Amino acid sequence: MVRRRITARLGATVLALAAAGPLAAQEPPPGYAQGVHIVRPGETLIGITRKYLGSGDRWADNHRLNPQIADPHRLTPGERIRVLLPAEPRVPTARVRKLAGRVENRPAPIPWDPARRDDLLLERDGQRTFSRSSSELEFPDGTRVVLTEESLVFFRRTGAGLAAEPQPRSVEIVEGQADLEARGLPPGGAPVEVLIGGTRAVSQVDESGKAQTRARRSTEGSAQLMVYEGAGEVEAAGQRVAVARGMGTSAGPGGPPAPPEELLPGPQTLRPAPGSRWDFNQPRLYWREVPGAVSYTVEVCRDAGCGELVQRRLGLTGTSWEPEPLPVADLFWRSTAVSPSGLDGYPSTAVPFSVLSDQGDVTPPTGALSLVGRQTRVDRTLYADDEVEVQVQLSDAQSGVEKSVPLINEVERPDFQLAGPWDPGPYRVSVRATDRAGNTGDLPAIEFVVDGAGPGIEWRAGPWDPRPDLSPVPPRKRRRWLRRGAAWLEWSVDALNWHLLVLEPGPPKMARFLERHPRLAADDFMVGSERPQLLLRAMADRPLTVGEHTLDPGDLLRITALDDGSGVWKLAVALRRGEGQAGGRLGRLELTSTDALGNEYRLALPIGG
């Protein structure tokens, strides 16, 4: 009789709601939250309301949340309906908060079905993730469970001591890995139990109400527990081991847990830097090596906790990784060092970065080389001194420049210093640059010849009359040099290449002049003169010695500056008085040849008469 009255009241309420028109989805009443219940076989709206609220009286509120329900007595198994949830949950649930990729629920006894956000998983329900997939679930007390890719878990309550708990405190890992994190719970609150095969592990909050652990079933079937915050405990094969913060342990199939070992620190992340923005979709990730690590795991996610996985790579032995093309999005990445025992160290702090383009970077860096320092061009050849510097300008608008290596005469020379000093000889210099996407290219090369030596000086003595090739010295210059005691008798045809200096050993006027003016320099012989020459003629009535040469009266000493590199810039001569005038000794003739780069060669020839 009572059942007929309830059914009659329910039918009357349904008719009244139907008469009022189509149902519109509403917000939950104050003091209530809402989630998404997956309908199981034989369930009705009033029965579902009773499950979560302890009474079916508010079934009409649940009906208002689900205007698509035509008959609250007939619900389709697998259908998702919104339900009111009390502030103090009565039913152990795990709410799906985040999803990435392919994730499926198994709401027992219904077969596997694609998971959706806000799904409520109950005791004995399961969830599995596939490649490049992840899920984040939340218990009513705020504890998070993050499943990474290729994982399979079930939610259970085991033991009489847990039967009265309002949340599923036991997670069974059949495959893969689960991260558990709690914040702000009462110290000593109910632990989360993790079952991995025949191993039982516990994650317990510390005095600050925090807990963070990672539990995993390896491909070999061993159970692993890593405690980052809070404390833990592992029991297997009749033995129990306490695991303190910063420690981890593992238990092989059927074996006892190993002694806890210290976890490796989180790697220092380098690039992408926090807040960096990338104009292409494959930025290479870099981190510093962690001593003792045998490999690294790197993750790229849409959130800092990696509840929404984008890509994940295991077993990296280097300290960089280039992911496959990433989506245009604000992302995070982190790296974890793995110890020789296979335990994960602390994950690095998640680094936020942004991908702004869906295009890959397929072009290498661009730039130019420039030569800085003393240099000159002769015809088509560029000459430089041995202290020049090759400056490099590189740019890459997308991924940025990763490294550059000098190319010297087509050979990579990583340690070559482009700032000199350079050995003499020809050079073809370029730079091979690589961007962070791995694109490599060579900059346009520059070619030059290093000329680090001054022009050589040659001389030849003997009778020779250059007059057919010379023109007279202008009278003004002739008078000036005659007053100085030296006769500069001839001037060259082109006013550059030939100077004729006539020396008379030891006249009083010359001696007095040298005392007052110790240096006499001929005019500069500028570049463009391939063989600038200076002619010295002995005018005395006795032989004149210049170095190893003896000039008879009327003989000429022809001095020539030669340079096979940048060319002669000038040839200068200076007469210096010797010690005393005995024997008519004049002193010495100092010659300086300078090339276009400023390299000098000096020669001193003693002069006597």
Side-chain angles (χ1 to χ4, degrees), residues 469-497:
D469 300 325
L470 302 179
S471 60
V473 174
R476 181 175 56 83
K477 287 191 176 184
R478 181 192 297 268
R479 289 193 299 270
R480 184 179 65 188
W481 279 84
L482 287 174
R483 286 197 301 268
R484 293 179 179 179
W488 187 11
L489 299 181
E490 300 293 344
W491 186 258
S492 66
V493 174
D494 58 7
L496 287 176
N497 294 343

Side-chain angles (χ1 to χ4, degrees), residues 174-455:
V174 180
E175 296 177 1
Q177 169 183 301
D179 287 352
L180 293 88
E181 183 176 359
R183 291 286 186 272
L185 298 184
V192 176
E193 184 182 53
V194 182
L195 303 178
I196 309 173
T199 300
R200 174 182 176 271
V202 172
S203 175
Q204 178 68 58
V205 299
D206 58 17
E207 62 279 359
S208 65
K210 297 180 181 179
Q212 183 179 358
T213 60
R214 173 170 292 176
R216 178 167 57 226
R217 184 167 190 170
S218 69
T219 55
E220 296 81 14
S222 63
Q224 297 175 328
L225 182 72
M226 291 134 282
V227 179
Y228 304 122
E229 288 190 86
E233 184 179 270
V234 176
E235 182 179 358
Q239 297 187 26
R240 182 179 300 178
V241 171
V243 184
R245 175 185 177 184
M247 307 293 285
T249 186
S250 60
E261 65 177 76
E262 186 175 358
L263 301 178
L264 295 174
Q268 180 183 354
T269 55
L270 299 177
R271 290 192 302 269
S276 59
R277 301 164 65 84
W278 298 85
D279 290 327
F280 80 115
N281 58 8
Q282 285 183 275
R284 194 169 187 87
L285 313 179
Y286 294 85
W287 58 93
R288 290 197 187 280
E289 180 181 3
V290 175
V294 297
S295 66
Y296 301 89
T297 298
V298 181
E299 298 162 290
V300 178
C301 311
R302 292 181 181 269
D303 64 317
C306 276
E308 296 181 81
L309 181 68
V310 176
Q311 289 187 44
R312 178 170 175 258
R313 182 67 179 270
L314 305 174
L316 292 167
T317 56
T319 55
S320 69
W321 174 54
E322 181 181 316
E324 296 182 18
L326 297 172
V328 177
D330 295 329
L331 302 172
F332 295 82
W333 78 278
R334 66 184 186 183
S335 175
T336 304
V338 181
S339 69
S341 63
L343 297 179
D344 289 354
Y346 280 83
S348 64
T349 302
V351 177
F353 70 103
S354 300
V355 175
L356 306 180
S357 172
D358 60 359
Q359 300 297 314
D361 184 359
V362 297
T363 58
T366 58
L369 305 179
S370 59
L371 194 64
V372 178
R374 291 190 299 182
Q375 56 189 285
T376 186
R377 185 173 295 278
V378 178
D379 296 328
R380 296 185 178 181
T381 303
L382 180 64
Y383 290 92
D385 71 6
D386 57 0
E387 296 295 333
V388 293
E389 177 183 356
V390 176
Q391 293 186 348
V392 183
Q393 292 182 333
L394 282 172
S395 64
D396 191 281
Q398 291 183 300
S399 60
V401 179
E402 168 60 25
K403 65 177 181 179
S404 61
V405 179
L407 288 177
I408 308 300
N409 297 332
E410 310 296 340
V411 178
E412 286 193 9
R413 300 279 300 276
D415 299 327
F416 195 91
Q417 299 297 317
L418 295 179
W422 302 74
D423 294 331
Y427 288 88
R428 177 181 173 84
V429 179
S430 181
V431 168
R432 181 161 293 162
T434 304
D435 63 18
R436 295 173 187 169
N439 302 304
T440 300
D442 297 346
L443 300 187
I446 59 174
E447 297 185 40
F448 58 93
V449 177
V450 172
D451 181 3

Side-chain angles (χ1 to χ4, degrees), residues 76-137:
T76 304
E79 180 182 5
R80 286 173 166 80
I81 64 173
R82 294 195 169 274
V83 295
L84 295 177
L85 299 175
E88 297 292 335
R90 291 176 43 83
V91 178
T93 60
R95 183 197 298 264
V96 179
R97 287 300 193 185
K98 297 178 181 179
L99 292 169
R102 181 184 174 188
V103 181
E104 293 181 347
N105 294 334
R106 188 182 187 278
I110 298 173
W112 293 99
D113 183 65
R116 300 178 188 175
R117 295 193 181 205
D118 290 331
D119 283 352
L120 297 174
L121 300 182
L122 309 177
E123 185 181 357
R124 296 189 301 276
D125 287 352
Q127 189 176 81
R128 64 185 179 186
T129 61
F130 292 80
S131 176
R132 294 193 181 181
S133 302
S134 65
S135 172
E136 179 181 310
L137 302 103

Side-chain angles (χ1 to χ4, degrees), residues 477-489 500-504 507 509-510 513-514 520 539 575:
K477 287 191 176 184
R478 181 192 297 268
R479 289 193 299 270
R480 184 179 65 188
W481 279 84
L482 287 174
R483 286 197 301 268
R484 293 179 179 179
W488 187 11
L489 299 181
L500 185 61
L501 180 63
V502 180
L503 300 179
E504 296 184 13
K509 186 180 295 186
M510 171 65 81
F513 179 77
L514 291 177
L520 297 175
M539 297 297 291
L575 291 173

Side-chain angles (χ1 to χ4, degrees), residues 17-102:
L17 291 173
L23 292 174
Q26 298 181 6
E27 293 296 322
Y32 290 88
Q34 62 174 303
V36 176
H37 174 77
I38 304 174
V39 177
R40 320 298 165 102
E43 288 186 323
T44 64
L45 188 60
I46 192 171
I48 294 172
T49 304
R50 185 182 298 113
K51 177 192 295 286
Y52 289 102
L53 302 181
S55 167
D57 293 343
R58 306 205 65 144
W59 73 268
D61 292 324
N62 279 335
H63 199 192
R64 290 187 182 91
L65 293 176
N66 298 275
Q68 78 282 359
I69 296 178
D71 186 351
H73 296 287
R74 298 179 180 274
L75 301 179
T76 304
E79 180 182 5
R80 286 173 166 80
I81 64 173
R82 294 195 169 274
V83 295
L84 295 177
L85 299 175
E88 297 292 335
R90 291 176 43 83
V91 178
T93 60
R95 183 197 298 264
V96 179
R97 287 300 193 185
K98 297 178 181 179
L99 292 169
R102 181 184 174 188

